[in-house]
Amino acid sequence: MRAQFDIKTYTGFRAIALVCLFILYAPLIVVAVYSFNASQSLTNWEGVSLRWYADVFTGPESGKFKQAARNSFIIATVAATVATAIATLAATGMVRGGRFKLRSLSFGLISLPIMVPEIVLAVATLIFFSSIGFDRGIMTILLAHIAFCIPFAYLPIAARMQGIEHSYEQAAQDLYATKRQAFTKILLPLMMPGIISGFLLAFIVSLDDFIITNFVKGAGVETLPTAIFGSVKQGIKPNIMAISTMLLGVSIVMVTISFFVSKADAIR
Amino acid sequence: MATGAAGGGSASMDTYREARNWLLMPAWVTLAILVLVPVAMMLIYSFLTKEFRGGVIWEFSLAAYDQFFLDRGLFGDEPARIEWTYITIFWRSIWQAATATVLSLAIGFPTAYFIATRPARMRPIWVFLVTIPYWVNLLIRTVSMKFLLRDQGTLNDFLIAMGLIDTPLVIVNTNIGVQIGLFYSYLPFMVLPIYAAVERYNFTLSEAAADLYASRTTTLTRVILPAVKPGVLAGCILVFVPSLGSFLAPDLLGGARNFMIGSLIEEQFKGNAGNWPFGAAASMILLTLVLMLLLLFARQQVKAGKTAG
Amino acid sequence: MKILINAFTALALMTGANAATADDRLVLYHWFEYIPQELLDKFTAETGVSVTMDTYDSNEAMLASLKAGGIGTYDLSVPGDYMVAIMANEGLLDTIADGELKNKGNIAPEWANPNYDPGRRHSIPYQWGSTSFAVNRDVYGGDINTTDILFDPPAELQGRINMLDSQGEIMAMASLHLGIPQCTSDREQLKALDAMLQDAKQHWASFNSDTAKEVLVSGDAAAGQIYDGFAAKAREEGANIEYAYATQGYVAWMDNIALLRDAPNRENALKFMDFMLVPENVATLTNWAQYNPGVSGVSALLDPALATQPEKNPHADAGPGVFIEVCSEDVQAVYDQIWTNLKK
């Protein structure tokens, strides 16, 4: 490459990009490495061991973490599924609905949960549930999660849909498919990569949420972030690093899936 | 990000025009019930009377806003002056969030630019690398950062072993700790929109500038930056807004020593204070600030769109 | 679409099933790190009741959470002395009828009729102890038996102090430091309290209750406000710290298991209270938490080392141990203002 003379290149930008990656990964790598530390102490390295991973599954806190992990995955799965379904319909209405008056208002409403600071949404949700006398529990967490997952599911789906020529559905209709058939048989399969990305994004966002969950969770209902926060407040322990590393693994697997889904699609 | 998905609906894309309202209904209903109504309730609560030790009494009162803006002394009976306490807390949060944004921009812009100028097949891999950390739980990232920055943490151990410093740098429990935490939390949000903007940038403009003997720096500041400004603004908003109401970084990396907006509000509902109307009022004020900022941003985008078209 | 709906139904059933197994449950709202898992396991083994536990880090946070919708979802919580009185006033506690607790007679006589819960109608003793502060002796070798350590610290400790994130404990300690009564309504005294705390704050590194022990062990803090049993544990974990009994005084407390109003599993809650009145179980708790029991017949079962712990034995010059008082609404409003000033 004639990088030196390339009009696009700025000296130093490559170095900064590498520094950026270093900053992004250094803390995660340090934690991943120390999760294999045999020592009880955080800072002394005493050789490689899986004891903290065993501790996560069999140690004194294992019951709490297992329950929290179950809650987290149930909530994330249901919330992401519902939000994705709602978002898919909404995206169809927004992108294939022609021009209409409430369009920008609708878009504003859909993206509101991203725009409003999380703490504000948390307070509003708490006040809402408390004023209608709705008992806090897994259900309150689930409802709150569905609401803020919708925009995260919507954005990739709508973006994908805009890239699909509407001639596909029209061709189907020319061949006497009903609009419903055109939707389920043509549009939906074409939208699938967007729907999968939307679902995964919503899933991760739900799995990740701490502030809102912490405000609306009920007695004894912990999700992984609230359970981890509870433990971390009393000091970082090696078993937390093991859990973190496992969650890191889950995240990487999911983002990789989403990466290849979009890549496979680009090839086609 | 917002404009990308909102715009681009041409009049001919109307296959489902008749079904439109039905298709949008679930989203409208869900978000109205779970977002609009709660925010309206919060607005109402901010005008109610506080109940001693948590909860509200259903009587109209301006006490929450009075407490926020007016200082009536320790005992509440002095002539009212401007209350600086909460403005200071808001200002601190704004300043922390702004510092984190500038820091993210300083690192994020060159990174995004660098990625966008890679060969097309390399770009997705770089984007992939930058996005992975965002998919990792924010709490875990913040905790990892704390582990790295502690007085006895890896960074200090490393610097001491290298002989660069003798005593550990104190970062955790300081403002700098919070800023680094916020910066680290939202850095990918800065890179992605700028990357998208630079990728769309037409590099013949740079060539034209070079032909007219513009220096590299001039080209960057006078040609490239104005062209990718919407992406830069979007990145700044995406870092600034969540930083403003953040809770984890100040709590874990700031030692809860100074209130930030997030912890001030949390304290009203879950901590010592138990003043719901005040918590609701502080939330309303934060919401108003953010919405004003977003409105300004939207107008900028519209303006940018007009000049470009 | 059908697949989505089916998946959702299945998951909804799962969450439903999750909640439906509530019959043999007990939901405990407890302080962090304050009960050994083996005791909970033993309770489950004896009664078949599984225990779910949420934790809090200050009496005030527990109260706020209960008032913000938590009441009716928890069976028991563990408020400190003054908080029992506040909760009873707020109507957050249920009354234990005569004869409902078969082990009630085990309560030590001196704790059977406390002023915050006359006749023990809402609560039973859990543990009692003190809140003072501990100093790392590697960092500071001078006299530590003065509240100056916290509020006017020597140079070695400045900027390396952790305070408990608890209004009650800080205000009580600050009042002892100034020699003024708690919950004073005297304006000059309140102003002095405000000014003194403002001045002291510059020397404090953090406000944290749940990491109070951890920061002393790790060396992140060189001195910190802490509970006696927690200080003993920090010392056992290798911190070279000494727990101080200031000549101005220290905070004494008694934590209690209280029966909450609208407890969803009231029967199981009473079973747990009875369980926590059995001397053997209280001994397990006390040996682990390293505070003091409020039940008779426990002392013989305790680890003999506990009795001689320096944390448990105030020296001759130690000031009085005072309980935190409940302030009137007016004074509390000023306290809240001072607290906000402190953390602004």
Side-chain angles (χ1 to χ4, degrees):
Chain A
M1 294 284 291
R2 46 193 181 94
Q4 286 304 100
F5 306 96
D6 192 339
I7 187 75
K8 294 176 175 181
T9 321
Y10 280 85
T11 6
F13 277 21
R14 173 193 295 271
I16 295 178
L18 292 174
V19 166
C20 179
L21 282 192
F22 178 75
I23 295 173
L24 285 172
Y25 284 92
L28 301 176
I29 290 170
V30 166
V31 162
V33 168
Y34 272 90
S35 71
F36 293 103
N37 190 356
S39 163
Q40 170 95 41
S41 142
L42 285 176
T43 33
N44 300 333
W45 182 260
E46 285 177 13
V48 178
S49 144
L50 287 175
R51 68 181 274 208
W52 299 114
Y53 288 85
D55 184 81
V56 170
F57 292 103
T58 55
E61 289 186 301
S62 62
K64 186 176 102 180
F65 285 125
K66 272 182 211 157
Q67 184 62 43
R70 238 183 69 189
N71 287 340
S72 265
F73 278 93
I74 290 175
I75 290 167
T77 312
V78 178
T81 308
V82 176
T84 308
I86 292 174
T88 306
L89 297 179
T92 313
M94 291 284 285
V95 181
R96 291 292 201 264
R99 289 184 180 278
F100 61 107
K101 265 191 204 152
L102 293 175
R103 194 190 161 84
S104 31
L105 206 65
S106 296
F107 182 72
L109 183 60
I110 289 169
S111 45
L112 201 57
I114 298 190
M115 304 300 169
V116 175
E118 219 187 331
I119 186 87
V120 174
L121 207 53
V123 167
T125 314
L126 172 70
I127 286 178
F128 173 64
F129 284 133
S130 143
S131 65
I132 62 170
F134 200 108
D135 269 352
R136 291 185 304 167
I138 205 159
M139 209 54 203
T140 45
I141 304 179
L142 188 57
L143 287 172
H145 280 218
I146 288 174
F148 71 71
C149 280
I150 288 176
F152 288 98
Y154 175 85
L155 291 174
I157 297 174
R160 168 81 197 168
M161 195 157 196
Q162 272 157 5
I164 302 172
E165 296 279 336
H166 80 299
S167 48
Y168 285 107
E169 307 117 74
Q170 303 224 311
Q173 283 178 272
D174 289 346
L175 296 168
Y176 304 105
T178 62
K179 289 204 168 180
R180 184 180 293 267
Q181 283 169 331
F183 180 75
T184 53
K185 295 269 183 331
I186 307 292
L187 202 49
L188 213 52
L190 284 173
M191 281 162 71
M192 224 12 118
I195 293 176
I196 292 172
S197 308
F199 176 86
L200 290 176
L201 191 56
F203 186 89
I204 286 286
V205 166
S206 164
L207 203 62
D208 196 46
D209 180 74
F210 170 74
I211 296 181
I212 293 177
T213 311
N214 190 36
F215 261 72
V216 301
K217 80 190 177 77
V221 183
E222 299 273 3
T223 64
L224 272 177
T226 62
I228 293 173
F229 186 74
S231 286
V232 163
K233 284 288 277 179
Q234 290 149 44
I236 305 171
K237 278 169 256 167
N239 62 344
I240 295 298
M241 297 194 181
I243 294 183
S244 303
T245 308
M246 285 189 282
L247 271 177
L248 177 68
V250 171
S251 300
I252 289 177
V253 167
M254 296 199 67
V255 77
T256 310
I257 292 174
S258 136
F259 178 70
F260 281 110
V261 164
S262 58
K263 205 165 178 213
D265 184 56
I267 290 164
R268 190 175 53 160
Chain B
M1 157 211 79
T3 47
S10 79
S12 62
M13 303 266 260
D14 59 354
T15 325
Y16 294 98
R17 177 190 284 276
E18 305 82 46
R20 183 178 63 214
N21 288 352
W22 291 110
L23 288 168
L24 283 166
M25 193 63 76
W28 283 339
V29 171
T30 315
L31 292 167
I33 294 177
L34 293 175
V35 179
L36 286 187
V37 173
V39 170
M41 289 296 308
M42 185 173 79
L43 179 64
I44 295 173
Y45 265 53
S46 72
F47 289 105
L48 294 180
T49 307
K50 86 161 197 170
E51 191 184 339
F52 187 41
R53 302 189 207 284
V56 287
I57 301 167
W58 281 84
E59 263 169 45
F60 176 81
S61 161
L62 283 172
Y65 291 95
D66 187 295
Q67 181 184 343
F68 193 98
F69 291 111
L70 296 177
D71 177 11
R72 296 172 191 278
L74 204 51
F75 307 98
D77 54 2
E78 291 165 31
R81 281 166 300 154
I82 295 178
E83 171 66 275
W84 290 105
T85 308
Y86 305 109
I87 296 173
T88 311
I89 292 170
F90 268 58
W91 176 245
R92 177 184 305 124
S93 297
I94 290 171
W95 188 72
Q96 303 265 41
T99 318
T101 309
V102 170
L103 218 61
S104 307
L105 187 60
I107 299 279
F109 183 85
T111 306
Y113 185 93
F114 177 75
I115 297 176
T117 51
R118 292 299 88 204
R121 68 191 162 78
M122 291 299 289
R123 283 178 221 158
I125 295 170
W126 275 92
V127 171
F128 180 63
L129 285 175
V130 170
T131 19
I132 287 182
Y134 166 70
W135 292 69
V136 177
N137 199 300
L138 176 59
L139 174 62
I140 288 170
R141 280 185 289 151
T142 312
V143 170
S144 309
M145 205 51 169
K146 182 172 182 177
F147 181 70
L148 195 67
L149 298 178
R150 283 163 15 121
D151 294 3
Q152 275 86 15
T154 319
L155 178 72
N156 275 316
D157 285 355
F158 176 74
L159 291 176
I160 292 173
M162 294 286 291
L164 293 172
I165 50 170
D166 296 327
T167 46
L169 299 173
V170 179
I171 302 171
V172 171
N173 292 339
T174 65
N175 284 338
I176 296 166
V178 179
Q179 284 154 11
I180 293 178
L182 292 175
F183 155 74
Y184 180 57
S185 303
Y186 304 114
L187 181 57
F189 285 179
M190 181 63 86
V191 175
L192 294 179
I194 298 181
Y195 160 74
V198 176
E199 204 192 18
R200 280 198 297 267
Y201 170 71
N202 185 352
F203 276 97
T204 50
L205 288 175
S206 293
E207 280 165 29
D211 290 346
L212 296 168
Y213 301 106
S215 72
R216 308 296 301 273
T217 323
T218 316
T219 311
L220 183 65
T221 53
R222 305 288 287 275
V223 182
I224 301 177
L225 264 181
V228 301
K229 195 172 151 199
V232 173
L233 278 177
C236 290
I237 293 270
L238 284 178
V239 174
F240 186 77
V241 169
S243 296
L244 202 54
S246 66
F247 173 77
L248 289 175
D251 197 72
L252 292 170
L253 289 162
R257 192 168 171 273
N258 288 318
F259 274 139
M260 297 268 285
I261 298 177
S263 42
L264 173 74
I265 293 174
E266 206 240 1
E267 176 103 345
Q268 308 306 318
F269 294 91
K270 311 212 110 196
N272 290 298
N275 187 343
W276 285 35
F278 182 73
S283 303
M284 279 315 299
I285 293 164
L286 173 62
L287 181 60
T288 312
L289 280 176
V290 168
L291 289 183
M292 272 162 49
L293 193 73
L294 290 173
L295 220 60
L296 269 175
F297 169 66
R299 284 177 62 180
Q300 273 284 346
Q301 293 280 48
V302 170
K303 236 169 52 191
K306 271 186 186 143
T307 45
Chain C
M1 208 57 216
K2 240 177 204 150
I3 296 170
L4 288 185
I5 292 169
N6 285 342
F8 176 54
T9 320
L11 283 159
L13 285 175
M14 269 174 79
T15 44
N18 204 12
T21 54
D23 280 354
D24 282 324
R25 237 162 62 112
L26 171 72
V27 190
L28 188 57
Y29 198 25
H30 204 339
W31 289 82
F32 64 94
E33 256 186 280
Y34 203 8
I35 191 161
Q37 186 63 39
E38 56 167 307
L39 210 51
L40 297 177
D41 292 345
K42 187 181 174 198
F43 175 69
T44 305
E46 279 182 16
T47 59
V49 174
S50 68
V51 183
T52 309
M53 185 167 72
D54 268 3
T55 61
Y56 53 86
D57 67 356
S58 77
N59 280 306
E60 288 76 12
M62 181 262 295
L63 177 69
S65 174
L66 287 180
K67 291 202 71 171
I71 197 77
T73 58
Y74 296 103
D75 298 305
L76 296 168
S77 78
V78 187
D81 41 81
Y82 71 103
M83 192 48 68
V84 175
I86 289 175
M87 290 170 75
N89 257 331
E90 295 271 322
L92 294 175
L93 300 181
D94 196 2
T95 305
I96 307 162
D98 286 338
E100 279 195 296
L101 286 180
K102 60 179 193 296
N103 295 338
K104 198 170 177 180
N106 292 354
I107 298 176
E110 64 270 32
W111 298 111
N113 195 23
N115 58 1
Y116 55 80
D117 185 13
R120 286 280 178 195
R121 293 174 58 240
H122 307 294
S123 69
I124 60 161
Y126 188 71
Q127 292 272 280
W128 62 269
S130 69
T131 309
S132 185
F133 54 89
V135 178
N136 187 326
R137 280 315 207 168
D138 295 335
V139 177
Y140 181 68
D143 174 29
I144 61 166
N145 291 321
T146 162
T147 47
D148 281 350
I149 294 288
L150 294 179
F151 301 106
D152 189 11
E156 293 94 323
L157 297 176
Q158 287 177 7
R160 302 194 58 192
I161 297 173
N162 177 58
M163 298 298 283
L164 293 176
D165 197 359
S166 157
Q167 201 195 72
E169 252 121 2
I170 289 184
M171 291 301 193
M173 199 66 116
S175 300
L176 286 173
H177 177 69
L178 290 177
I180 59 175
Q182 287 186 58
C183 298
T184 175
S185 55
D186 182 293
R187 299 176 63 124
E188 290 312 311
Q189 290 180 344
L190 283 166
K191 273 185 193 162
L193 187 65
D194 183 45
M196 188 278 286
L197 286 171
Q198 283 294 315
D199 198 42
K201 186 199 172 177
Q202 57 180 310
H203 306 307
W204 298 344
S206 54
F207 288 94
N208 259 318
S209 300
D210 20 27
T211 51
K213 182 184 76 183
E214 167 71 18
V215 290
L216 288 174
V217 175
S218 72
D220 285 346
Q225 228 187 340
I226 196 164
Y227 322 107
D228 58 342
F230 232 31
K233 284 190 175 185
R235 187 168 48 77
E236 283 170 8
E237 287 174 26
N240 180 22
I241 56 162
E242 187 175 336
Y243 187 74
Y245 279 100
T247 51
Q248 292 92 336
Y250 58 94
V251 174
W253 47 260
M254 165 103 220
D255 286 334
N256 312 272
I257 307 180
L259 183 61
L260 296 172
R261 193 192 77 206
D262 302 334
N265 312 290
R266 192 172 184 278
E267 282 306 305
N268 295 340
L270 291 170
K271 275 185 205 164
F272 187 76
M273 288 176 124
D274 261 334
F275 178 81
M276 290 311 296
L277 286 170
V278 174
E280 206 187 347
N281 299 334
V282 177
T284 308
L285 168 65
T286 310
N287 283 329
W288 181 85
Q290 310 197 5
Y291 298 105
N292 308 283
V295 165
S296 312
V298 176
S299 39
L301 304 168
L302 291 181
D303 180 353
L306 278 185
T308 56
Q309 269 185 351
E311 288 82 5
K312 295 226 165 5
N313 294 288
H315 52 83
D317 296 332
V322 300
F323 283 85
I324 294 173
E325 289 171 23
V326 182
C327 303
S328 70
E329 189 167 351
D330 294 346
V331 174
Q332 189 58 46
V334 181
Y335 267 36
D336 285 345
Q337 185 70 47
I338 294 175
W339 182 250
T340 309
N341 286 345
L342 185 59
K343 293 188 84 180
K344 75 180 172 194

